[in-house]
Amino acid sequence: MEKHTLLIKCQDTKGLVFKISSILLLHNLNIEQNNEFVDKTHNTFFMRTEISGALEHEKLLAEIHATLQHESEITLYSQKKKSIVIFATKENHCLGDLLIRHNSGDLNANILAVISNHAVLQNLVEKFEIPYHYIESDNITREEHEAKIIALCQSLNPDFLVLAKYMRILSPHFVQNFHNKIINIHHSFLPAFIGANPYKQAYERGVKIIGATAHFVNDNLDEGPIISQDIIQIDHSYTWQDMQKAGRDVEKVVLARALKLAIENRIFLHNNRTIIF
């Protein structure tokens, strides 16, 4: 049986759940899961509904739009595997984790390719029989390098780009080409510990937690809408090298969790925030 996910974001008014559910019933669609949230500050209603049954895509969306009678964002996804392209530089922990999840069937997505500005990780990726594209960046301009990557990504047409410790800052031009499709992972010390070796800086400040943040990428460095975060406790016995190892563990988990939420269409973007079901 066909399965779909319906996402609705609109102005909040009375009776929305009843009206939308009634339309789904008229189309002989079964609601398998439903979640709603109202942002009272902005009077905005969010609804995520998993439905099953045969449907006429455009007709259903048109009827919902007509029923809501005000500006709304309505998206209907078929529940099928998404496709992703992974970006990496030299660190292998986040990339390796995603490759293993994909290989074991735990990642509900197709990895179309891995793109890197170094050849360091090529042997690792090719063990999983996934295309590896080394696009050298040292002897060409940033614009030329990004143009090559943009062309490649557009030819692959992925649903998401995943920055698995990709250590290059993307230009606004690049980001605009993949609006709300780029997911990044970084240590949560930003912006307090900026620059080289944030774990050593954190060690010298005596921090007591290590964290990681996964977020969508926008034009402002590391300020995009946050998808997932987590922390682990540490103490004075940790060296900065120990902290770095622990940080890699939490980065892997947080990135995989964020990607799962995106793949399952569980994220609404609202200003610079996310609403997640």
Side-chain angles (χ1 to χ4, degrees):
M1 182 176 289
E2 296 180 26
K3 293 190 176 183
H4 307 267
T5 302
L6 176 66
L7 303 182
I8 296 175
K9 173 184 174 182
C10 64
Q11 178 183 333
D12 185 43
T13 58
K14 291 182 179 179
L16 285 174
V17 175
F18 172 77
K19 292 176 182 177
I20 297 166
S21 300
S22 297
I23 294 173
L24 297 177
L25 178 60
L26 288 173
H27 282 257
N28 199 31
L29 297 168
N30 183 48
I31 296 176
E32 298 192 356
Q33 187 180 78
N34 195 66
N35 301 94
E36 313 101 35
F37 170 72
V38 176
D39 178 351
K40 295 182 180 179
T41 302
H42 300 94
N43 194 42
T44 305
F45 172 81
F46 302 86
M47 179 170 167
R48 178 186 184 274
T49 308
E50 293 184 9
I51 55 180
S52 59
L55 57 79
E56 297 180 55
H57 191 281
E58 297 302 325
K59 183 178 180 181
L60 177 62
L61 291 182
E63 288 187 24
I64 295 174
H65 270 294
T67 300
L68 296 180
Q69 295 182 340
H70 45 69
E71 184 177 348
S72 58
E73 298 176 18
I74 306 171
T75 313
L76 183 62
Y77 296 97
S78 61
Q79 291 186 8
K80 62 180 181 180
K81 278 191 175 183
K82 297 284 197 296
S83 60
I84 65 173
V85 169
I86 302 176
F87 284 56
T89 298
K90 293 182 178 180
E91 294 183 72
N92 63 13
H93 58 289
C94 287
L95 171 62
D97 180 68
L98 294 177
L99 291 173
I100 291 171
R101 291 173 187 268
H102 179 265
N103 184 258
S104 64
D106 293 334
L107 184 67
N108 189 30
N110 296 313
I111 301 178
L112 301 178
V114 173
I115 296 174
S116 180
N117 58 320
H118 290 273
V120 175
L121 300 171
Q122 185 165 355
N123 288 338
L124 170 63
V125 174
E126 290 181 347
K127 288 178 182 178
F128 291 87
E129 300 181 346
I130 290 173
Y132 187 89
H133 297 273
Y134 164 46
I135 302 179
E136 193 267 346
S137 60
D138 291 337
N139 298 314
I140 59 177
T141 67
R142 174 181 174 180
E143 290 76 16
E144 290 171 331
H145 184 249
E146 286 195 349
K148 291 183 178 182
I149 298 174
I150 290 171
L152 175 57
C153 288
Q154 289 178 337
S155 69
L156 294 171
N157 193 29
D159 294 292
F160 295 103
L161 307 182
V162 183
L163 309 186
K165 305 300 290 184
Y166 184 62
M167 308 308 290
R168 286 179 65 85
I169 297 174
L170 300 174
S171 70
H173 172 68
F174 186 98
V175 174
Q176 289 166 10
N177 275 273
F178 306 98
H179 184 59
N180 293 334
K181 288 187 173 184
I182 309 174
I183 298 174
N184 186 36
I185 182 69
H186 67 68
H187 50 81
S188 285
F189 298 133
L190 292 175
F193 302 102
I194 299 174
N197 207 332
Y199 289 102
K200 188 174 182 181
Q201 296 178 55
Y203 167 78
E204 291 169 350
R205 288 283 298 275
V207 302
K208 297 298 183 283
I209 61 171
I210 287 176
T213 300
H215 64 95
F216 285 111
V217 175
N218 61 14
D219 290 347
N220 299 316
L221 180 63
D222 294 327
E223 294 184 13
I226 293 170
I227 306 169
S228 181
Q229 294 178 296
D230 208 347
I231 61 167
I232 54 175
Q233 300 288 331
I234 63 169
D235 59 33
H236 59 274
S237 67
Y238 280 64
T239 65
W240 71 262
Q241 293 92 341
D242 294 332
M243 293 167 59
Q244 187 179 58
K245 291 177 183 177
R248 287 171 178 163
D249 286 339
V250 71
E251 286 172 357
K252 291 188 294 186
V253 172
V254 171
L255 180 59
R257 184 187 303 151
L259 184 54
K260 184 175 186 293
L261 292 169
I263 288 169
E264 294 180 354
N265 305 307
R266 294 185 176 275
I267 305 171
F268 285 89
L269 289 173
H270 184 44
N271 299 323
N272 202 48
R273 299 176 60 218
T274 55
I275 308 299
I276 296 176
F277 292 117

mmCIF file of all heavy atoms in Angstrom, residues 230-267:
data_model
loop_
_atom_site.group_PDB
_atom_site.id
_atom_site.type_symbol
_atom_site.label_atom_id
_atom_site.label_comp_id
_atom_site.label_asym_id
_atom_site.label_seq_id
_atom_site.Cartn_x
_atom_site.Cartn_y
_atom_site.Cartn_z
ATOM 1 N N ASP A 230 23.614 17.064 21.438
ATOM 2 C CA ASP A 230 23.780 16.148 22.560
ATOM 3 C C ASP A 230 25.086 16.478 23.270
ATOM 4 O O ASP A 230 25.948 17.175 22.722
ATOM 5 C CB ASP A 230 23.792 14.696 22.095
ATOM 6 C CG ASP A 230 23.282 13.734 23.172
ATOM 7 O OD1 ASP A 230 23.164 14.155 24.344
ATOM 8 O OD2 ASP A 230 23.005 12.577 22.840
ATOM 9 N N ILE A 231 25.203 15.978 24.502
ATOM 10 C CA ILE A 231 26.411 16.207 25.294
ATOM 11 C C ILE A 231 26.802 14.933 26.020
ATOM 12 O O ILE A 231 25.997 14.017 26.180
ATOM 13 C CB ILE A 231 26.222 17.325 26.338
ATOM 14 C CG1 ILE A 231 25.099 16.947 27.325
ATOM 15 C CG2 ILE A 231 25.940 18.667 25.673
ATOM 16 C CD1 ILE A 231 25.046 17.824 28.542
ATOM 17 N N ILE A 232 28.059 14.878 26.443
ATOM 18 C CA ILE A 232 28.516 13.849 27.370
ATOM 19 C C ILE A 232 29.312 14.535 28.469
ATOM 20 O O ILE A 232 29.911 15.591 28.263
ATOM 21 C CB ILE A 232 29.384 12.780 26.665
ATOM 22 C CG1 ILE A 232 30.536 13.432 25.909
ATOM 23 C CG2 ILE A 232 28.555 11.919 25.750
ATOM 24 C CD1 ILE A 232 31.484 12.430 25.290
ATOM 25 N N GLN A 233 29.292 13.946 29.663
ATOM 26 C CA GLN A 233 29.998 14.503 30.803
ATOM 27 C C GLN A 233 31.464 14.081 30.784
ATOM 28 O O GLN A 233 31.793 12.948 30.444
ATOM 29 C CB GLN A 233 29.351 14.028 32.107
ATOM 30 C CG GLN A 233 27.883 14.411 32.274
ATOM 31 C CD GLN A 233 27.693 15.879 32.550
ATOM 32 O OE1 GLN A 233 28.561 16.528 33.134
ATOM 33 N NE2 GLN A 233 26.548 16.426 32.143
ATOM 34 N N ILE A 234 32.343 15.008 31.156
ATOM 35 C CA ILE A 234 33.753 14.686 31.331
ATOM 36 C C ILE A 234 34.223 15.273 32.658
ATOM 37 O O ILE A 234 33.464 15.956 33.346
ATOM 38 C CB ILE A 234 34.606 15.244 30.169
ATOM 39 C CG1 ILE A 234 34.526 16.774 30.138
ATOM 40 C CG2 ILE A 234 34.172 14.651 28.842
ATOM 41 C CD1 ILE A 234 35.539 17.399 29.204
ATOM 42 N N ASP A 235 35.467 15.006 33.030
ATOM 43 C CA ASP A 235 36.004 15.580 34.265
ATOM 44 C C ASP A 235 37.466 15.965 34.083
ATOM 45 O O ASP A 235 38.014 15.896 32.977
ATOM 46 C CB ASP A 235 35.827 14.623 35.449
ATOM 47 C CG ASP A 235 36.526 13.285 35.229
ATOM 48 O OD1 ASP A 235 37.584 13.270 34.570
ATOM 49 O OD2 ASP A 235 36.014 12.260 35.718
ATOM 50 N N HIS A 236 38.106 16.347 35.182
ATOM 51 C CA HIS A 236 39.462 16.880 35.141
ATOM 52 C C HIS A 236 40.498 15.857 34.671
ATOM 53 O O HIS A 236 41.610 16.221 34.294
ATOM 54 C CB HIS A 236 39.865 17.367 36.535
ATOM 55 C CG HIS A 236 39.814 16.274 37.559
ATOM 56 N ND1 HIS A 236 38.653 15.950 38.234
ATOM 57 C CD2 HIS A 236 40.763 15.406 37.988
ATOM 58 C CE1 HIS A 236 38.897 14.933 39.049
ATOM 59 N NE2 HIS A 236 40.169 14.582 38.920
ATOM 60 N N SER A 237 40.145 14.577 34.691
ATOM 61 C CA SER A 237 41.113 13.541 34.312
ATOM 62 C C SER A 237 41.314 13.438 32.808
ATOM 63 O O SER A 237 42.264 12.809 32.343
ATOM 64 C CB SER A 237 40.669 12.180 34.859
ATOM 65 O OG SER A 237 39.479 11.741 34.210
ATOM 66 N N TYR A 238 40.431 14.074 32.029
ATOM 67 C CA TYR A 238 40.519 14.000 30.574
ATOM 68 C C TYR A 238 41.629 14.912 30.052
ATOM 69 O O TYR A 238 41.680 16.096 30.391
ATOM 70 C CB TYR A 238 39.205 14.435 29.924
ATOM 71 C CG TYR A 238 38.115 13.390 29.899
ATOM 72 C CD1 TYR A 238 37.561 12.896 31.073
ATOM 73 C CD2 TYR A 238 37.628 12.918 28.692
ATOM 74 C CE1 TYR A 238 36.554 11.950 31.051
ATOM 75 C CE2 TYR A 238 36.608 11.971 28.651
ATOM 76 C CZ TYR A 238 36.086 11.489 29.832
ATOM 77 O OH TYR A 238 35.088 10.554 29.801
ATOM 78 N N THR A 239 42.502 14.367 29.215
ATOM 79 C CA THR A 239 43.408 15.217 28.453
ATOM 80 C C THR A 239 42.644 15.787 27.267
ATOM 81 O O THR A 239 41.521 15.350 26.966
ATOM 82 C CB THR A 239 44.604 14.403 27.917
ATOM 83 O OG1 THR A 239 44.113 13.435 26.975
ATOM 84 C CG2 THR A 239 45.328 13.693 29.057
ATOM 85 N N TRP A 240 43.251 16.748 26.566
ATOM 86 C CA TRP A 240 42.526 17.278 25.410
ATOM 87 C C TRP A 240 42.391 16.222 24.323
ATOM 88 O O TRP A 240 41.415 16.217 23.573
ATOM 89 C CB TRP A 240 43.183 18.556 24.879
ATOM 90 C CG TRP A 240 44.502 18.418 24.179
ATOM 91 C CD1 TRP A 240 45.739 18.614 24.716
ATOM 92 C CD2 TRP A 240 44.708 18.100 22.805
ATOM 93 N NE1 TRP A 240 46.705 18.417 23.764
ATOM 94 C CE2 TRP A 240 46.098 18.107 22.567
ATOM 95 C CE3 TRP A 240 43.853 17.802 21.732
ATOM 96 C CZ2 TRP A 240 46.668 17.832 21.337
ATOM 97 C CZ3 TRP A 240 44.403 17.526 20.492
ATOM 98 C CH2 TRP A 240 45.791 17.536 20.299
ATOM 99 N N GLN A 241 43.349 15.271 24.288
ATOM 100 C CA GLN A 241 43.219 14.175 23.323
ATOM 101 C C GLN A 241 42.046 13.256 23.684
ATOM 102 O O GLN A 241 41.315 12.788 22.804
ATOM 103 C CB GLN A 241 44.513 13.367 23.255
ATOM 104 C CG GLN A 241 45.700 14.121 22.663
ATOM 105 C CD GLN A 241 46.546 14.820 23.719
ATOM 106 O OE1 GLN A 241 46.081 15.054 24.847
ATOM 107 N NE2 GLN A 241 47.777 15.133 23.354
ATOM 108 N N ASP A 242 41.863 12.997 25.000
ATOM 109 C CA ASP A 242 40.712 12.208 25.450
ATOM 110 C C ASP A 242 39.405 12.916 25.096
ATOM 111 O O ASP A 242 38.432 12.287 24.666
ATOM 112 C CB ASP A 242 40.765 11.984 26.966
ATOM 113 C CG ASP A 242 41.931 11.131 27.411
ATOM 114 O OD1 ASP A 242 42.384 10.291 26.613
ATOM 115 O OD2 ASP A 242 42.377 11.312 28.561
ATOM 116 N N MET A 243 39.394 14.223 25.289
ATOM 117 C CA MET A 243 38.202 15.009 24.972
ATOM 118 C C MET A 243 37.895 14.950 23.483
ATOM 119 O O MET A 243 36.733 14.841 23.078
ATOM 120 C CB MET A 243 38.404 16.462 25.423
ATOM 121 C CG MET A 243 38.486 16.624 26.928
ATOM 122 S SD MET A 243 39.080 18.250 27.426
ATOM 123 C CE MET A 243 37.852 19.291 26.677
ATOM 124 N N GLN A 244 38.932 14.983 22.675
ATOM 125 C CA GLN A 244 38.736 14.912 21.229
ATOM 126 C C GLN A 244 38.114 13.581 20.822
ATOM 127 O O GLN A 244 37.195 13.533 19.996
ATOM 128 C CB GLN A 244 40.072 15.105 20.518
ATOM 129 C CG GLN A 244 39.966 15.216 19.007
ATOM 130 C CD GLN A 244 41.330 15.442 18.373
ATOM 131 O OE1 GLN A 244 42.238 14.645 18.543
ATOM 132 N NE2 GLN A 244 41.462 16.551 17.656
ATOM 133 N N LYS A 245 38.598 12.485 21.424
ATOM 134 C CA LYS A 245 38.038 11.159 21.129
ATOM 135 C C LYS A 245 36.575 11.082 21.546
ATOM 136 O O LYS A 245 35.733 10.555 20.815
ATOM 137 C CB LYS A 245 38.854 10.081 21.838
ATOM 138 C CG LYS A 245 40.249 9.891 21.282
ATOM 139 C CD LYS A 245 41.031 8.850 22.087
ATOM 140 C CE LYS A 245 42.456 8.711 21.575
ATOM 141 N NZ LYS A 245 43.240 7.758 22.396
ATOM 142 N N ALA A 246 36.287 11.593 22.744
ATOM 143 C CA ALA A 246 34.905 11.577 23.226
ATOM 144 C C ALA A 246 34.019 12.451 22.337
ATOM 145 O O ALA A 246 32.867 12.120 22.048
ATOM 146 C CB ALA A 246 34.852 12.057 24.672
ATOM 147 N N GLY A 247 34.572 13.580 21.884
ATOM 148 C CA GLY A 247 33.818 14.473 21.016
ATOM 149 C C GLY A 247 33.470 13.829 19.693
ATOM 150 O O GLY A 247 32.380 14.029 19.159
ATOM 151 N N ARG A 248 34.373 13.017 19.177
ATOM 152 C CA ARG A 248 34.097 12.330 17.917
ATOM 153 C C ARG A 248 32.932 11.365 18.063
ATOM 154 O O ARG A 248 32.111 11.224 17.150
ATOM 155 C CB ARG A 248 35.351 11.584 17.456
ATOM 156 C CG ARG A 248 36.439 12.500 16.918
ATOM 157 C CD ARG A 248 37.729 11.752 16.670
ATOM 158 N NE ARG A 248 38.764 12.622 16.109
ATOM 159 C CZ ARG A 248 40.051 12.333 16.100
ATOM 160 N NH1 ARG A 248 40.471 11.192 16.616
ATOM 161 N NH2 ARG A 248 40.914 13.188 15.566
ATOM 162 N N ASP A 249 32.841 10.716 19.216
ATOM 163 C CA ASP A 249 31.735 9.786 19.444
ATOM 164 C C ASP A 249 30.391 10.509 19.421
ATOM 165 O O ASP A 249 29.432 10.054 18.791
ATOM 166 C CB ASP A 249 31.912 9.067 20.788
ATOM 167 C CG ASP A 249 33.010 8.017 20.750
ATOM 168 O OD1 ASP A 249 33.358 7.574 19.641
ATOM 169 O OD2 ASP A 249 33.510 7.649 21.825
ATOM 170 N N VAL A 250 30.309 11.643 20.112
ATOM 171 C CA VAL A 250 29.030 12.353 20.167
ATOM 172 C C VAL A 250 28.714 12.996 18.823
ATOM 173 O O VAL A 250 27.549 13.091 18.420
ATOM 174 C CB VAL A 250 29.019 13.392 21.320
ATOM 175 C CG1 VAL A 250 29.895 14.581 21.055
ATOM 176 C CG2 VAL A 250 27.592 13.831 21.627
ATOM 177 N N GLU A 251 29.727 13.419 18.080
ATOM 178 C CA GLU A 251 29.488 13.980 16.740
ATOM 179 C C GLU A 251 28.847 12.951 15.819
ATOM 180 O O GLU A 251 27.914 13.273 15.075
ATOM 181 C CB GLU A 251 30.811 14.473 16.150
ATOM 182 C CG GLU A 251 31.324 15.758 16.760
ATOM 183 C CD GLU A 251 32.717 16.123 16.290
ATOM 184 O OE1 GLU A 251 33.326 15.349 15.515
ATOM 185 O OE2 GLU A 251 33.213 17.188 16.699
ATOM 186 N N LYS A 252 29.339 11.726 15.858
ATOM 187 C CA LYS A 252 28.774 10.667 15.013
ATOM 188 C C LYS A 252 27.295 10.461 15.307
ATOM 189 O O LYS A 252 26.468 10.364 14.397
ATOM 190 C CB LYS A 252 29.529 9.350 15.238
ATOM 191 C CG LYS A 252 30.944 9.321 14.722
ATOM 192 C CD LYS A 252 31.551 7.937 14.811
ATOM 193 C CE LYS A 252 31.736 7.474 16.237
ATOM 194 N NZ LYS A 252 32.465 6.187 16.329
ATOM 195 N N VAL A 253 26.966 10.377 16.581
ATOM 196 C CA VAL A 253 25.585 10.102 16.986
ATOM 197 C C VAL A 253 24.658 11.249 16.584
ATOM 198 O O VAL A 253 23.562 11.033 16.051
ATOM 199 C CB VAL A 253 25.504 9.853 18.508
ATOM 200 C CG1 VAL A 253 24.055 9.763 18.966
ATOM 201 C CG2 VAL A 253 26.260 8.573 18.878
ATOM 202 N N VAL A 254 25.089 12.465 16.835
ATOM 203 C CA VAL A 254 24.245 13.629 16.558
ATOM 204 C C VAL A 254 24.022 13.801 15.057
ATOM 205 O O VAL A 254 22.900 14.089 14.616
ATOM 206 C CB VAL A 254 24.869 14.900 17.170
ATOM 207 C CG1 VAL A 254 24.132 16.153 16.696
ATOM 208 C CG2 VAL A 254 24.827 14.815 18.691
ATOM 209 N N LEU A 255 25.063 13.613 14.257
ATOM 210 C CA LEU A 255 24.893 13.742 12.804
ATOM 211 C C LEU A 255 23.954 12.678 12.262
ATOM 212 O O LEU A 255 23.061 12.982 11.458
ATOM 213 C CB LEU A 255 26.248 13.643 12.107
ATOM 214 C CG LEU A 255 26.207 13.753 10.572
ATOM 215 C CD1 LEU A 255 25.587 15.068 10.132
ATOM 216 C CD2 LEU A 255 27.594 13.581 9.973
ATOM 217 N N ALA A 256 24.121 11.433 12.714
ATOM 218 C CA ALA A 256 23.246 10.355 12.247
ATOM 219 C C ALA A 256 21.793 10.611 12.655
ATOM 220 O O ALA A 256 20.865 10.363 11.875
ATOM 221 C CB ALA A 256 23.722 9.014 12.798
ATOM 222 N N ARG A 257 21.593 11.121 13.859
ATOM 223 C CA ARG A 257 20.235 11.411 14.334
ATOM 224 C C ARG A 257 19.599 12.520 13.504
ATOM 225 O O ARG A 257 18.426 12.430 13.109
ATOM 226 C CB ARG A 257 20.286 11.818 15.808
ATOM 227 C CG ARG A 257 18.925 12.051 16.447
ATOM 228 C CD ARG A 257 19.099 12.616 17.849
ATOM 229 N NE ARG A 257 19.903 11.729 18.680
ATOM 230 C CZ ARG A 257 20.668 12.162 19.691
ATOM 231 N NH1 ARG A 257 20.743 13.453 19.974
ATOM 232 N NH2 ARG A 257 21.348 11.292 20.400
ATOM 233 N N ALA A 258 20.358 13.573 13.229
ATOM 234 C CA ALA A 258 19.832 14.685 12.434
ATOM 235 C C ALA A 258 19.480 14.236 11.027
ATOM 236 O O ALA A 258 18.437 14.617 10.477
ATOM 237 C CB ALA A 258 20.856 15.817 12.393
ATOM 238 N N LEU A 259 20.338 13.421 10.452
ATOM 239 C CA LEU A 259 20.075 12.941 9.097
ATOM 240 C C LEU A 259 18.824 12.072 9.058
ATOM 241 O O LEU A 259 18.015 12.154 8.123
ATOM 242 C CB LEU A 259 21.285 12.160 8.587
ATOM 243 C CG LEU A 259 21.221 11.652 7.145
ATOM 244 C CD1 LEU A 259 20.925 12.778 6.173
ATOM 245 C CD2 LEU A 259 22.516 10.944 6.774
ATOM 246 N N LYS A 260 18.639 11.254 10.074
ATOM 247 C CA LYS A 260 17.436 10.404 10.150
ATOM 248 C C LYS A 260 16.173 11.265 10.203
ATOM 249 O O LYS A 260 15.173 10.979 9.522
ATOM 250 C CB LYS A 260 17.508 9.499 11.377
ATOM 251 C CG LYS A 260 16.352 8.505 11.506
ATOM 252 C CD LYS A 260 16.601 7.578 12.700
ATOM 253 C CE LYS A 260 15.546 6.467 12.771
ATOM 254 N NZ LYS A 260 14.199 6.951 13.075
ATOM 255 N N LEU A 261 16.203 12.330 10.981
ATOM 256 C CA LEU A 261 15.047 13.225 11.073
ATOM 257 C C LEU A 261 14.745 13.873 9.726
ATOM 258 O O LEU A 261 13.579 14.001 9.327
ATOM 259 C CB LEU A 261 15.309 14.309 12.122
ATOM 260 C CG LEU A 261 15.371 13.844 13.574
ATOM 261 C CD1 LEU A 261 15.908 14.956 14.469
ATOM 262 C CD2 LEU A 261 14.001 13.383 14.063
ATOM 263 N N ALA A 262 15.788 14.271 9.025
ATOM 264 C CA ALA A 262 15.593 14.889 7.704
ATOM 265 C C ALA A 262 15.062 13.883 6.698
ATOM 266 O O ALA A 262 14.137 14.184 5.927
ATOM 267 C CB ALA A 262 16.909 15.489 7.220
ATOM 268 N N ILE A 263 15.620 12.697 6.707
ATOM 269 C CA ILE A 263 15.210 11.653 5.768
ATOM 270 C C ILE A 263 13.747 11.280 5.964
ATOM 271 O O ILE A 263 13.021 11.015 5.005
ATOM 272 C CB ILE A 263 16.113 10.415 5.934
ATOM 273 C CG1 ILE A 263 17.511 10.699 5.371
ATOM 274 C CG2 ILE A 263 15.508 9.188 5.264
ATOM 275 C CD1 ILE A 263 18.525 9.642 5.736
ATOM 276 N N GLU A 264 13.299 11.290 7.218
ATOM 277 C CA GLU A 264 11.921 10.900 7.531
ATOM 278 C C GLU A 264 10.948 12.072 7.469
ATOM 279 O O GLU A 264 9.799 11.946 7.897
ATOM 280 C CB GLU A 264 11.873 10.244 8.913
ATOM 281 C CG GLU A 264 12.630 8.916 8.973
ATOM 282 C CD GLU A 264 12.580 8.264 10.346
ATOM 283 O OE1 GLU A 264 12.043 8.894 11.297
ATOM 284 O OE2 GLU A 264 13.090 7.136 10.475
ATOM 285 N N ASN A 265 11.384 13.208 6.944
ATOM 286 C CA ASN A 265 10.509 14.386 6.794
ATOM 287 C C ASN A 265 9.875 14.796 8.118
ATOM 288 O O ASN A 265 8.670 15.045 8.200
ATOM 289 C CB ASN A 265 9.410 14.107 5.755
ATOM 290 C CG ASN A 265 9.960 13.665 4.421
ATOM 291 O OD1 ASN A 265 10.817 14.330 3.854
ATOM 292 N ND2 ASN A 265 9.487 12.532 3.937
ATOM 293 N N ARG A 266 10.699 14.903 9.154
ATOM 294 C CA ARG A 266 10.194 15.251 10.481
ATOM 295 C C ARG A 266 10.524 16.685 10.884
ATOM 296 O O ARG A 266 10.283 17.080 12.024
ATOM 297 C CB ARG A 266 10.764 14.279 11.527
ATOM 298 C CG ARG A 266 10.268 12.850 11.341
ATOM 299 C CD ARG A 266 10.742 11.921 12.454
ATOM 300 N NE ARG A 266 10.176 10.593 12.279
ATOM 301 C CZ ARG A 266 8.983 10.214 12.717
ATOM 302 N NH1 ARG A 266 8.224 11.085 13.368
ATOM 303 N NH2 ARG A 266 8.542 8.992 12.516
ATOM 304 N N ILE A 267 11.085 17.462 9.974
ATOM 305 C CA ILE A 267 11.588 18.789 10.319
ATOM 306 C C ILE A 267 10.804 19.880 9.596
ATOM 307 O O ILE A 267 10.657 19.848 8.377
ATOM 308 C CB ILE A 267 13.079 18.919 9.957
ATOM 309 C CG1 ILE A 267 13.897 17.798 10.613
ATOM 310 C CG2 ILE A 267 13.613 20.284 10.381
ATOM 311 C CD1 ILE A 267 15.331 17.737 10.120
#
